[in-house]
Amino acid sequence: MGRKIGIALAGLAGLVALAGGIALATLWFSPSLQDAAMERVATAMATPDTEVLSKDALHIVFCGTGSPLPDPDRASSCYGIYAGGHFFLLDAGTGGWSRLARMRVPVGGIDGVLLTHLHSDHIGGLPDIALNTWAAGRKAPLKVYGPRGTEKVVEGLDEAYAIDNGYRIAHHGAALLPPEAARMDAVIVDVPDRDKAVTVFDRDGLKISAFQVNHLPVKPAYGYRVDYEGRAVVFSGDTKREENVARFGKGADVMVHEALAGHMVNTIGRVLAKAGDRRARIMGDIPDYHTTPVEAAGIANEAGAKLLVYSHIVPALPNSMAEHVFLRGVGDVRPEGTMLGYDQLYLELPVGSDEIVRHDLR
Ligand SMILES: [Zn+2]
Ligand SMILES: [Zn+2]
């Protein structure tokens, strides 16, 4: 009996494969069918996902959960925050823009970009964001909030891309691409006191504040807290273990914390040193200004965060075994309420509830 079912299933699978093969062959030789399929794909890409952002909620989309180390699965630091009719990006890591595009979230009405600090993996995507939000209808310069030095970054990028912007205006016209909106405007966020958070934005129920973290020799370096109608998320930015993240993240629903697994990075460093690779030195240096997964779990407990999301993950985690090793010891400190962030994760925190709804937009 079992054998008969097995033969029947194998026969069915063969038929399905054959049908698939015929469909592919038909498509391969028919330009009109190819054009129709292309139109369907283009329509899907051009249509914002109506399910995403439909509720009155604090929405967080993860457009980059990686670091400067190459990782095919993770763009560099990037998060989208939507609430109260506003849209901010927090950090502008390389590759973040393409993740946002894949999620089909609206991007034209961007309020600004919030930078945690000026390391390359947090600013490298700024030109893509400037160009694409301009094309999507931004009418004024892109506001880039960040620590001292942001003005230099923005001026330099504006100059580097001035020729490109000129070509775009010449090609598409100033009516479609207003020249004054091509550039970026720096808004300096000054947090002089490590014991006080500074409000960066406060409108329509959405409040964003910045606080100091410790990423020396990078100074200033900030974490951000975002509050909307009783819901809150705190972002650690890049930092070694820092009490301020617990203090200013107190009672947040979600804590997005950076993490570097020292036990894995040390192994990589040893292997590179054996091979005489000069990058062994870098592997030796980086653990001293990042937080381990176990330390971040302790910070999330102190803050009373309901969900801890690991992000800015170092090193790359190519499979579930690597993920398991990365999280070694975390369960002892924090048995529940922890997850590994990934690109195209979307968290929805509806107003008037304590729910945290997880959506996978991959
Ligand atoms: Zn970083
Ligand atoms: Zn950094």
Side-chain angles (χ1 to χ4, degrees):
M1 185 70 177
R3 190 160 171 267
K4 275 187 188 163
I5 292 172
I7 291 168
L9 284 176
L12 189 63
L15 276 176
V16 169
L18 183 65
I22 290 168
L24 187 63
T26 311
L27 186 62
W28 189 264
F29 292 108
S30 167
S32 62
L33 282 178
Q34 291 161 14
D35 291 347
M38 181 61 218
E39 193 173 323
R40 273 202 299 279
V41 171
T43 305
M45 286 173 68
T47 313
D49 189 333
T50 49
E51 275 300 301
V52 180
L53 314 175
S54 59
K55 283 195 191 133
D56 187 18
L58 173 55
H59 308 270
I60 309 139
V61 298
F62 289 70
C63 38
T65 58
S67 74
L69 298 185
D71 185 340
D73 298 323
R74 297 176 191 277
S76 296
S77 188
C78 175
Y79 312 94
I81 299 159
Y82 294 84
H86 296 282
F87 165 43
F88 281 92
L89 281 174
L90 192 142
D91 278 338
T94 312
W97 184 264
S98 67
R99 299 297 203 238
L100 278 176
R102 283 193 215 172
M103 285 187 272
R104 291 161 51 210
V105 287
V107 292
I110 190 167
D111 287 79
V113 181
L114 307 154
L115 298 178
T116 57
H117 64 299
L118 304 179
H119 259 152
S120 59
D121 54 317
H122 299 254
I123 61 172
L126 274 173
D128 283 346
I129 293 164
L131 173 62
N132 284 287
T133 53
W134 187 34
R138 185 169 49 73
K139 298 277 187 289
L142 177 65
K143 280 188 182 161
V144 182
Y145 298 77
R148 281 189 311 280
T150 299
E151 71 289 353
K152 229 173 157 183
V153 170
V154 160
E155 277 163 26
L157 287 173
D158 275 346
E159 194 173 335
Y161 283 81
I163 295 172
D164 173 62
N165 291 335
Y167 291 148
R168 309 272 176 200
I169 295 162
H171 195 184
H172 306 293
L176 189 76
L177 295 176
E180 66 279 10
R183 62 185 182 86
M184 297 180 255
D185 262 355
V187 183
I188 300 305
V189 176
D190 203 14
V191 185
D193 185 343
R194 70 166 269 115
D195 296 325
K196 284 199 185 98
V198 166
T199 302
V200 175
F201 182 89
D202 192 358
R203 213 182 303 159
D204 303 316
L206 176 65
K207 184 178 170 190
I208 301 171
S209 43
F211 55 89
Q212 285 188 16
V213 293
N214 185 348
H215 193 43
L216 286 171
V218 179
K219 196 175 175 175
Y222 299 148
Y224 285 89
R225 179 184 174 115
V226 179
D227 286 274
Y228 177 66
E229 304 288 355
R231 307 306 308 266
V233 55
V234 64
F235 296 87
S236 69
D238 281 16
T239 183
K240 66 194 288 187
R241 187 190 185 285
E242 166 61 63
E243 284 299 321
N244 264 0
V245 180
R247 174 153 55 147
F248 294 109
K250 199 89 193 158
D253 298 280
V254 176
M255 176 178 286
V256 180
H257 207 299
E258 70 118 278
L260 176 147
H263 54 291
M264 298 174 89
V265 169
N266 290 343
T267 306
I268 296 169
R270 268 201 311 277
V271 170
L272 290 174
K274 246 192 230 164
D277 191 314
R278 64 200 302 278
R279 288 169 297 180
R281 165 75 195 272
I282 295 172
M283 292 299 143
D285 289 340
I286 55 177
D288 71 8
Y289 68 177
H290 289 292
T291 308
T292 69
V294 171
E295 287 172 336
I299 293 288
N301 288 350
E302 275 183 50
K306 292 187 195 85
L307 178 66
L308 165 64
V309 184
Y310 287 114
S311 192
H312 197 281
I313 286 167
V314 185
L317 306 175
N319 52 45
S320 53
M321 178 52 76
E323 292 176 3
H324 177 68
V325 175
F326 180 87
L327 293 170
R328 185 185 293 162
V330 167
D332 299 335
V333 177
R334 188 174 163 93
E336 283 178 348
T338 300
M339 70 178 291
L340 274 174
Y342 54 86
D343 289 15
Q344 295 172 235
L345 165 67
Y346 157 42
L347 297 179
E348 184 182 55
L349 282 59
V351 168
S353 91
D354 58 3
E355 251 187 308
I356 299 169
V357 188
R358 301 181 197 184
H359 304 267
D360 183 348
L361 299 185
R362 286 178 292 187

